[in-house]
Amino acid sequence: MVTWHELDARSWAQAAAEYGAEAGVRASLARIEQLNPRYRAFNLVLAEQAVATARALDALPASERGPLHGVPVAIKDENDVAGTVTSFGTACNSTPKSADSLTVSRLRQAGAIIIGKTTMPAFGAFPITSSEAFGITPNPHNVAFTAGGSSGGSAVALATGMVPLALGGDGGGSIRIPADRCGLVGFKPARGAVPPAPYDHLWHDLGTAGPIARTVRDAELMYRIISGAAGGPRQVPQAGRPLRIGVSLAPASALARLDLAHCRAIWQAAQALRQAGHTVTYLPGRLPDPTLPFMVQFFAGLGDEIRALESTDSLEGLHRHTLALGFWARGRILQAAKDAGRRLGARLEATYFESYDLLLTPTTANRPPAADQLQGVGWGAAGFVRAMVQAVPSAVYTLPWNVSGHPALAIPAGYAEDGLPVSVQLIAPLKKQGLGDLFSLGADLHRRIAGPGSEGP
């Protein structure tokens, strides 16, 4: 008997090949039916389509099965799935899309079964998954706290065993923050590595689609598929090579303080890396503050998404004045912000990655806030600004790498004294060969700090 909800994506594909993709997808649908009313991870479940796809996959000869054969995948609702509405976390759109986003199409080609669309805060603006349209998605470890955001629905679908793999999106930490809050692996690819088609961009230079997974191996597999690299050569690091790891602890903004539990997780990770033969060096000072180039592109991206809505009649109160607040984020100011981000990337590359192979940082600065925190900020411009300030401790270690464009990987590091997960973050250089080190070291570190079996045999 297969316990489907305990399987990672690779194990699920193997089980689907042996026991049938339909058996697996029906197990996934049964778990969604059981748990989704409590956690609101999905706002749309494609049950009939998923079963039909599973049957078609079961009819394929073994030679035609892809690396995600029969694997149910949850899709964040800022990606197009043919025949469904792309909500962006709102109730403002009503016309189903005629075609899949490129990422979704590539997942299907790899044998994945698209099982539903997952909840997100409106436009992915905040690191808490709560919206007027779809309600609150709480943390599965303790429902009083947030699951993080904005890919909170995708993370909860995975953490509760509804699916073994999920697609998120990350414009300031929106993959890595919910991965941190829910005890999962989350990977933000480098800028431009995953095409946003049919959209021109996701928050301009900041955002990218990426995987949320149970293991680093699964995250790497999904990344290779959605980036179009699945059939190409894998970036394999030199076997057994000791790496130089720089540790950066100070948050980039003075508005955030690092919680002791997160500092302890970094210390444990550093000790594990040293025991594995790597050189670990604690770095002085703060990273450069990326707030200005981030904020310009943040407001520009939100503005683009709001203007593209079919109707703003049901736009939630928190966003009633978002366009007005960001009226200045366009034209030369927007281009200057993009240029500043690329200069920051070059500066960080020269400052850190000439001396270190990878950087190690906390993923978030604070413990998970209350699940209903957004509901307490009030509506309108004042509420929006309060929500932005409250978001700083969650995003202070993640958003610099959206601005700079570097790939970043969140790795579970056990649990804090409050019983909720904690994680650490690894950042790779922009040069492509750094990804091999990132995934290889990430998988080994996951095994060492998250417990036996975390990366499989």
Side-chain angles (χ1 to χ4, degrees):
M1 180 67 69
V2 179
T3 307
W4 292 94
H5 69 270
E6 295 180 355
L7 301 180
D8 63 19
R10 290 171 182 264
S11 299
W12 191 296
Q14 294 169 359
E18 183 174 356
Y19 299 101
E22 184 176 352
V25 83
R26 288 191 181 279
S28 177
L29 289 169
R31 195 158 179 88
I32 292 170
E33 183 178 11
Q34 175 192 2
L35 297 179
N36 200 57
R38 176 175 175 82
Y39 295 109
R40 289 178 290 278
F42 288 92
N43 61 45
L44 177 66
V45 179
L46 302 171
E48 292 183 6
Q49 298 94 318
V51 171
T53 301
R55 288 174 177 168
L57 289 171
D58 282 337
L60 289 176
S63 60
E64 296 181 19
R65 292 174 178 172
L68 291 180
H69 173 74
V71 175
V73 176
I75 304 295
K76 185 180 181 182
D77 202 6
E78 62 187 8
N79 299 275
D80 294 351
V81 173
T84 75
V85 175
T86 302
S87 77
F88 291 95
T90 76
C92 297
N93 290 334
S94 58
T95 302
K97 298 294 184 178
S98 60
D100 292 331
S101 289
L102 180 59
T103 50
V104 174
S105 176
R106 285 174 170 174
L107 288 168
R108 290 193 199 273
Q109 291 169 9
I113 297 174
I114 307 306
I115 205 161
K117 307 288 288 290
T118 58
T119 52
M120 57 182 288
F123 314 112
F126 299 110
I128 290 177
T129 301
S130 172
S131 68
E132 290 183 14
F134 302 110
I136 294 171
T137 301
N139 194 302
H141 299 274
N142 185 330
V143 296
F145 297 94
T146 183
S150 61
S151 306
S154 289
V156 172
L158 181 60
T160 55
M162 298 185 207
V163 294
L165 195 62
L167 182 68
D170 195 315
S174 288
I175 286 172
R176 291 159 290 159
I177 294 168
D180 170 270
R181 305 310 194 190
C182 294
L184 301 167
V185 172
F187 176 58
K188 182 200 81 70
R191 178 167 45 231
V194 179
Y199 300 98
D200 294 332
H201 60 83
L202 177 61
W203 290 8
H204 296 276
D205 277 359
L206 298 177
T208 177
I212 303 177
R214 290 184 177 167
T215 68
V216 175
R217 292 192 312 159
D218 280 356
E220 180 184 11
L221 173 61
M222 187 180 198
Y223 164 70
R224 289 178 58 77
I225 290 167
I226 64 176
S227 67
R234 182 179 178 225
Q235 296 292 337
V236 181
Q238 182 180 337
R241 178 169 67 96
L243 299 177
R244 303 162 300 167
I245 312 298
V247 180
S248 179
L249 278 178
S253 170
L255 294 176
R257 295 182 62 184
L258 182 62
D259 188 276
L260 180 60
H262 300 228
C263 187
R264 188 180 300 116
I266 289 291
W267 182 84
Q268 292 171 342
Q271 290 296 100
L273 291 169
R274 286 195 178 105
Q275 290 172 3
H278 305 291
T279 301
V280 179
T281 304
Y282 283 83
L283 306 178
R286 298 178 184 271
L287 295 173
D289 189 339
T291 299
L292 285 177
F294 174 82
M295 292 306 299
V296 175
Q297 295 179 81
F298 170 75
F299 274 114
L302 292 183
D304 291 343
E305 291 178 357
I306 292 172
R307 282 187 287 268
L309 296 173
E310 295 177 39
S311 169
T312 57
D313 292 344
S314 57
L315 189 64
E316 65 182 48
L318 194 58
H319 287 280
R320 284 292 179 187
H321 301 284
T322 301
L323 282 178
L325 284 171
F327 76 94
W328 47 273
R330 54 187 175 180
R332 292 182 179 179
I333 294 175
L334 176 58
Q335 186 57 52
K338 292 181 180 180
D339 292 343
R342 292 175 185 272
R343 287 195 301 272
L344 175 65
R347 177 182 173 186
L348 293 173
E349 195 78 1
T351 302
Y352 297 107
F353 293 107
E354 293 299 323
S355 302
Y356 302 99
D357 298 297
L358 298 169
L359 292 186
L360 173 69
T361 79
T363 307
T364 58
N366 62 336
R367 301 307 297 139
D372 61 354
Q373 186 185 59
L374 280 184
Q375 295 186 340
V377 300
W379 301 134
F384 189 91
V385 171
R386 280 194 292 271
M388 288 173 58
V389 172
Q390 289 180 351
V392 171
S394 294
V396 69
Y397 288 102
T398 55
L399 71 80
W401 310 107
N402 293 86
V403 177
S404 73
H406 286 79
L409 180 70
I411 302 169
Y415 296 83
E417 292 180 358
D418 57 13
L420 295 170
V422 65
S423 75
V424 299
Q425 179 180 222
L426 285 174
I427 300 97
L430 291 170
K431 54 189 178 184
K432 288 185 178 180
Q433 55 265 39
L435 275 184
D437 289 333
L438 181 71
F439 288 128
S440 178
L441 185 74
D444 184 61
L445 183 61
H446 190 198
R447 277 191 293 267
R448 292 173 182 273
I449 64 177
S454 57
E455 280 292 325

